[in-house]
Amino acid sequence: MNRLILLGVVMLLTIQAQSQSVKEKEVPKVVLQKMLSLYPDAKNVKWEMEDGMYEGEFKQNKSEVSVILSRDGMVAATEMEVEVATLPAGLLNYIADNYPGAVISEAAKVTDSKGMVSYELEIGGDDYIFDASGNLISQSPSDHGKKED
């Protein structure tokens, strides 16, 4: 059951093509207050609406951070850009064994509302989702760089 919840949250984070930009004044006050309580130093937050959830994206210590919040201000997940070298060894071994020579162009640590961790990688234009142990959960074409409708 936890794996299904994790997969659902991760898929929310990766469906970029269906997101819509939202002005901060259109974001519910409770969502803004929650973001401020979690990240008081966040500046230039870009907001998007995605599958009924609000996603706030900003830079923290030169890394991208995204927070997915429900309309009532509950955190569904956070996604933080990470250095490839900090990824779990099992995950890096899986990539080396199954995709020799592959280059990881982006890596993010995703934490759901229950504290369950997964990793999202972009390799060769595709998105790969792994659990915290480095087991592949899913693979899908990346939406990065595609024009939004």
Side-chain angles (χ1 to χ4, degrees), residues 48-94:
E48 292 183 350
M49 183 73 159
E50 185 176 307
D51 295 331
M53 305 282 261
Y54 291 89
E55 178 178 5
E57 184 178 307
F58 58 96
K59 290 242 184 217
Q60 182 180 49
N61 299 326
K62 299 182 182 178
S63 293
E64 287 184 23
V65 177
S66 291
V67 181
I68 308 290
L69 300 127
S70 66
R71 293 177 187 271
D72 59 357
M74 301 300 293
V75 176
T78 59
E79 180 177 331
M80 182 169 285
E81 182 179 45
V82 295
E83 295 292 325
V84 172
T86 67
L87 294 169
L91 191 157
L92 294 173
N93 290 337
Y94 179 92

Side-chain angles (χ1 to χ4, degrees), residues 2-90:
N2 282 341
R3 195 169 218 180
L4 288 175
I5 293 170
L6 173 64
L7 185 57
V9 170
V10 169
M11 293 311 288
L12 272 176
L13 293 171
T14 59
I15 303 174
Q16 297 294 327
Q18 294 180 352
S19 62
Q20 291 181 298
S21 291
V22 176
K23 294 179 182 174
E24 188 170 303
K25 66 183 179 181
E26 297 169 343
V27 177
K29 187 175 181 177
V30 67
V31 172
L32 294 172
Q33 289 173 333
K34 183 63 171 190
M35 178 65 96
L36 183 60
S37 74
L38 294 170
Y39 300 96
D41 296 328
K43 297 196 178 357
N44 302 317
V45 178
K46 295 177 186 170
W47 289 97
E48 292 183 350
M49 183 73 159
E50 185 176 307
D51 295 331
M53 305 282 261
Y54 291 89
E55 178 178 5
E57 184 178 307
F58 58 96
K59 290 242 184 217
Q60 182 180 49
N61 299 326
K62 299 182 182 178
S63 293
E64 287 184 23
V65 177
S66 291
V67 181
I68 308 290
L69 300 127
S70 66
R71 293 177 187 271
D72 59 357
M74 301 300 293
V75 176
T78 59
E79 180 177 331
M80 182 169 285
E81 182 179 45
V82 295
E83 295 292 325
V84 172
T86 67
L87 294 169

Side-chain angles (χ1 to χ4, degrees), residues 79-82 87 106-110 118-122:
E79 180 177 331
M80 182 169 285
E81 182 179 45
V82 295
L87 294 169
E106 290 184 21
K109 179 179 180 181
V110 180
S118 63
Y119 293 89
E120 179 179 351
L121 309 180
E122 185 176 333

